[in-house]
């Protein structure tokens, strides 16, 4: 997710390493690279041009020129522009009515059925009582598909096996919802290959009849610019409230997700980044921008953490990060907690520096299990004092204990010291706000 842009932007900003200052020459080079990075990440070239123009205007100013830390300033300017390009704030779905009606539409295979179940799972965690309504009247297997996904997580589904009448299905689902005390009705509709008359007639019929509180259009982000065109054509016929972008896990470029809302004028409300039921995230422009700029996404992590971790442990992790005293004991705890909350790939991008440990330059990939066995082979003192691990005898003992080669132990230790450095930057600079946010979330609870 966004790895491509992340890498390229990082490279483009390298020129500002150390204490170099922003001037017409070095900024020109960087801006050229940023523009190229955006276009290669599938951002529309006009948008890329305007974006770079804005960054330029804000960078070559007196204030910036006199700054001691130009790289930080440029990152902040890019961050602000990215956030504003993505629509500034998340627009929440409106689920205040009882019942709330949510209509899900989109092209064939875009991920409507998967999203509907993920949304239901998500709402259940928010203490709502959702009901999934199988309203795909064209594909015979659609009902079973929804039932199989939903039943795994005990999510209620309403269906009428023999009905081809979408209005009848909706009417009966309302009665069922009221009997079962469900307060959110999620209507999973049929997809078509293209936005044609049959699809629009059917969607319009159910739209006018059900008067949804939320109409969400689901698009596959892997289709890139086509995803934007699809939403554009659809929204000519029907007023959508929000966009859901799916399969971001398979889209390393992410340009469509970044520019969608500014082109369409409608917010992205959710993104989906995997096939599992928990692979759904609320779309927060600030957090995505943080992730793209390689800060990691502590806030998203904390949200997940708070859902499933105990509060004491979360507080402890925060304290350690903020005091820059992150040690192997914490890393072990982190890994053990993280393992509980989903697939490694999704979590990794949320922890600053973690990507470097999992997928380092030397192409050595550690599994969480390997890292665990290395840490478990350390003495408690070593875990709390990573610096003493320069001692070869200690390293050999750890290598024997964990069954991991000495070379790979060395690599891990090196990467760990990188994490500590990253934690330090986060503490010292723009990470302050993230940490503040982190803190306020914990204290409010
Ligand atoms: N990797 C990945 N796969 C996804 C994601 N969302 C959906 N899929 C997969 O995409 C395929 C199509 O998803 P569905 O939810 O059936 O799509 P649909 O829009 O309901 O399809 P139709 O009902 O046939 O129009 C399935 O194999 C899903 O598992 C995602 O975020 N990431
Ligand atoms: Mg479907």
């Amino acid at each position: 997710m966004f790895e491509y842009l992340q890498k390229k932007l990082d490279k483009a900003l390298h020129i500002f390493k150390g204490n170099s200052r922003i001037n017409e020459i070095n900024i020109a080079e960087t801006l050229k690279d940023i523009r190229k990075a955006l276009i290669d990440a599938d951002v529309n070239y006009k948008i890329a041009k305007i974006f770079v123009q804005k960054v330029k205007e804000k960078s070559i100013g007196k204030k910036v020129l006199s700054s001691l830390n130009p790289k930080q300033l440029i990152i902040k300017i890019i961050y602000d522009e990215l956030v504003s390009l993505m629509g500034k704030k998340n627009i929440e779905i409106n689920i205040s009515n009882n019942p709330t009606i949510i209509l899900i539409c989109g092209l064939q295979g875009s991920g409507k059925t998967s999203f509907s179940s993920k949304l239901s799972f998500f709402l259940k965690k928010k203490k709502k009582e959702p009901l999934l309504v199988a309203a795909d009247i064209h594909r015979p297997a659609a009902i079973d598909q929804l039932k199989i996904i939903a039943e795994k997580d005990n999510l209620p589904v309403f269906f009428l096996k023999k009905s081809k009448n979408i209005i009848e299905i909706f009417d009966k689902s309302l009665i069922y919802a009221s009997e079962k005390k469900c307060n959110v009705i999620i209507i999973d509709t049929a997809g078509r290959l293209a936005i044609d008359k049959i699809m629009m007639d059917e969607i319009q019929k159910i739209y006018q009849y059900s008067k949804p509180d939320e109409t969400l259009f689901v698009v596959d982000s892997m289709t890139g610019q086509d995803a934007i065109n699809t939403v554009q054509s659809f929204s000519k016929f029907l007023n959508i409230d929000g966009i859901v972008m799916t399969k971001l896990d398979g889209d390393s470029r992410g340009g469509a997700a970044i520019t969608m809302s500014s082109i369409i004028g409608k917010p992205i409300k959710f993104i989906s980044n995997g096939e599992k039921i928990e692979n759904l995230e609320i779309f927060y422009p600030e957090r995505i921008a943080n992730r793209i700029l390689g800060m990691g996404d502590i806030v998203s992590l904390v949200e997940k953490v708070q859902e499933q971790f105990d509060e004491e442990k979360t507080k402890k992790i925060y304290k350690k990060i903020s005091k820059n005293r992150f040690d192997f004991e914490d890393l072990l705890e982190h890994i053990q907690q993280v393992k509980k909350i989903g697939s490694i790939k999704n979590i990794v991008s949320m922890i600053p520096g973690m990507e470097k440990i999992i997928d380092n330059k030397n192409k050595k990939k550690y599994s969480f299990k390997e890292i665990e066995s290395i840490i478990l082979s350390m003495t408690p003192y070593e875990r709390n004092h990573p610096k003493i691990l320069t001692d070869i005898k200690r390293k050999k003992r750890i290598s024997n204990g964990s069954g991991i080669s000495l070379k790979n132990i060395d690599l891990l230790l090196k990467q760990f010291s990188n994490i500590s450095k990253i934690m330090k930057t986060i503490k010292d600079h723009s990470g302050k706000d993230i940490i503040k946010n982190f803190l306020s979330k914990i204290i409010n609870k």
Side-chain angles (χ1 to χ4, degrees):
M1 220 161 100
F2 307 111
E3 298 93 342
Y4 185 86
L5 198 52
Q6 195 177 337
K7 246 186 231 159
K8 293 281 169 164
L9 285 182
D10 192 42
K11 218 168 151 203
L13 293 165
H14 243 69
I15 197 160
F16 291 109
K17 227 178 162 187
N19 280 332
S20 65
R21 288 176 176 264
I22 298 174
N23 57 43
E24 285 276 356
I25 297 163
N26 61 16
I27 189 87
E29 188 70 18
T30 303
L31 290 175
K32 211 173 94 199
D33 289 349
I34 293 175
R35 186 163 161 265
K36 190 167 181 312
L38 289 168
I39 292 170
D40 289 349
D42 207 18
V43 167
N44 168 302
Y45 75 96
K46 275 190 206 150
I47 295 189
K49 198 173 155 192
I50 298 169
F51 186 93
V52 165
Q53 190 58 35
K54 284 188 186 162
V55 173
K56 186 177 177 182
E57 279 161 20
K58 289 180 183 164
S59 309
I60 308 183
K62 232 181 171 171
K63 231 172 142 191
V64 181
L65 279 170
S66 62
S67 158
L68 284 171
N69 196 340
K71 188 176 173 184
Q72 281 288 316
L73 279 165
I74 289 262
I75 288 179
K76 174 76 171 77
I77 293 164
I78 297 175
Y79 170 87
D80 287 345
E81 285 310 315
L82 275 175
V83 170
S84 122
L85 189 60
M86 287 186 279
K88 291 202 172 83
K89 289 247 165 299
N90 167 260
I91 313 286
E92 279 183 35
I93 52 166
N94 171 15
I95 44 170
S96 50
N97 284 345
N98 188 2
T100 292
I101 313 286
I102 305 181
L103 182 63
I104 311 295
C105 34
L107 290 185
Q108 209 165 75
S110 56
K112 296 177 295 299
T113 302
S114 316
F115 168 70
S116 301
S117 343
K118 287 172 185 173
L119 181 64
S120 179
F121 183 75
F122 171 88
L123 291 172
K124 216 162 180 186
K125 280 199 284 177
K126 298 236 168 279
K127 305 274 179 276
K128 287 282 176 182
E129 294 299 334
L131 175 66
L132 284 159
V133 179
D136 182 343
I137 51 176
H138 296 289
R139 207 158 49 85
I143 295 177
D144 290 333
Q145 184 199 359
L146 186 63
K147 267 176 64 190
I148 291 167
I149 307 178
E151 277 168 8
K152 257 203 299 191
D153 291 282
N154 294 323
L155 304 166
V157 180
F158 178 81
F159 59 92
L160 290 178
K161 266 254 146 106
K162 295 204 172 79
S163 178
K164 293 273 176 209
N165 181 344
I166 199 164
I167 303 293
E168 180 195 12
I169 297 171
F170 174 69
D171 273 342
K172 294 200 169 148
S173 78
L174 282 184
I175 301 168
Y176 184 85
S178 125
E179 277 168 16
K180 301 278 174 195
K181 303 212 174 354
C182 294
N183 50 22
V184 184
I185 293 173
I186 303 169
I187 311 171
D188 175 29
T189 63
R192 296 189 64 81
L193 283 173
I195 294 166
D196 55 17
K197 194 166 176 323
I198 302 175
M199 177 184 187
M200 289 322 301
D201 284 352
E202 187 178 303
I203 286 286
Q204 256 160 351
K205 195 162 126 193
I206 185 72
Y207 176 82
Q208 279 155 10
Y209 189 80
S210 66
K211 299 190 176 51
D213 301 279
E214 282 282 337
T215 302
L216 300 178
F217 191 80
V218 180
V219 271
D220 176 345
S221 82
M222 292 210 288
T223 58
Q225 292 291 314
D226 267 353
I228 299 176
N229 298 337
T230 307
V231 186
Q232 215 154 21
S233 348
F234 189 85
S235 50
K236 277 187 198 138
F237 295 97
L238 211 132
N239 185 24
I240 56 173
D241 298 293
I243 299 154
V244 177
M245 291 212 85
T246 60
K247 309 185 195 178
L248 267 144
D249 50 315
D251 172 25
S252 62
R253 299 187 302 165
I258 296 166
T259 52
M260 178 70 90
S261 72
S262 76
I263 297 178
I264 306 292
K266 297 282 178 188
I268 297 182
K269 295 203 171 179
F270 290 97
I271 51 177
S272 147
N273 56 3
E275 295 191 77
K276 289 192 185 148
I277 196 108
E278 68 271 17
N279 294 143
L280 184 71
E281 280 180 43
I282 298 178
F283 184 79
Y284 289 110
E286 301 96 329
R287 298 183 196 182
I288 302 287
N290 261 331
R291 232 183 268 182
I292 292 171
L293 291 168
M295 296 279 301
D297 190 343
I298 297 184
V299 184
S300 281
L301 177 68
V302 171
E303 262 190 6
K304 287 216 169 204
V305 163
Q306 283 178 330
E307 274 170 22
Q308 315 218 7
F309 289 16
D310 76 58
E311 203 177 323
E312 278 310 306
K313 282 189 179 159
T314 311
K315 263 189 199 167
K316 205 176 115 198
I317 289 174
Y318 161 71
K319 259 195 186 159
K320 289 275 189 143
I321 292 178
S322 70
K323 287 188 178 162
N324 191 24
R325 277 198 210 130
F326 198 71
D327 61 25
F328 278 110
E329 206 70 73
D330 303 311
L331 182 60
L332 184 65
E333 200 166 278
H334 228 106
I335 287 170
Q336 285 166 347
Q337 303 251 27
V338 159
K339 278 202 317 199
K340 282 194 241 160
I341 58 177
S343 88
I344 292 173
K345 217 172 138 205
N346 289 325
I347 298 300
V348 160
S349 68
M350 293 182 186
I351 309 174
M354 200 55 134
E355 261 169 12
K356 292 197 170 102
I357 212 170
I358 299 294
D359 187 4
N360 61 50
K361 278 182 199 131
N362 294 292
K363 297 278 177 268
K364 163 68 190 155
K365 290 191 183 184
Y366 296 92
S367 63
F368 277 179
K369 205 162 168 242
E370 283 175 306
I371 301 177
E372 255 176 4
S373 63
I374 294 175
I375 301 175
L376 289 172
S377 304
M378 295 174 184
T379 64
Y381 187 80
E382 285 165 347
R383 291 182 212 170
N384 292 322
H385 301 84
K387 282 189 183 140
I388 63 164
L389 286 170
T390 45
D391 185 312
I392 184 75
K393 270 194 213 146
R394 290 182 189 274
K395 285 194 280 192
K396 273 192 181 152
R397 200 198 69 243
I398 295 166
S399 167
N400 285 337
S402 61
I404 310 278
S405 74
L406 198 56
K407 189 176 145 224
N408 286 334
I409 304 269
D410 269 333
L411 270 176
L412 182 82
L413 292 173
K414 204 164 145 220
Q415 298 304 334
F416 182 79
S417 106
N418 285 347
I419 292 194
S420 307
K421 276 182 210 149
I422 291 164
M423 295 286 185
K424 194 159 179 247
T425 16
I426 283 172
K427 183 190 158 216
D428 291 347
H429 302 298
S430 37
K432 251 187 209 158
D433 288 342
I434 297 176
I435 292 200
K436 225 163 68 192
N437 214 329
F438 195 153
L439 184 64
S440 69
K441 278 187 188 284
I442 292 162
I443 288 178
N444 284 343
K445 279 254 162 177

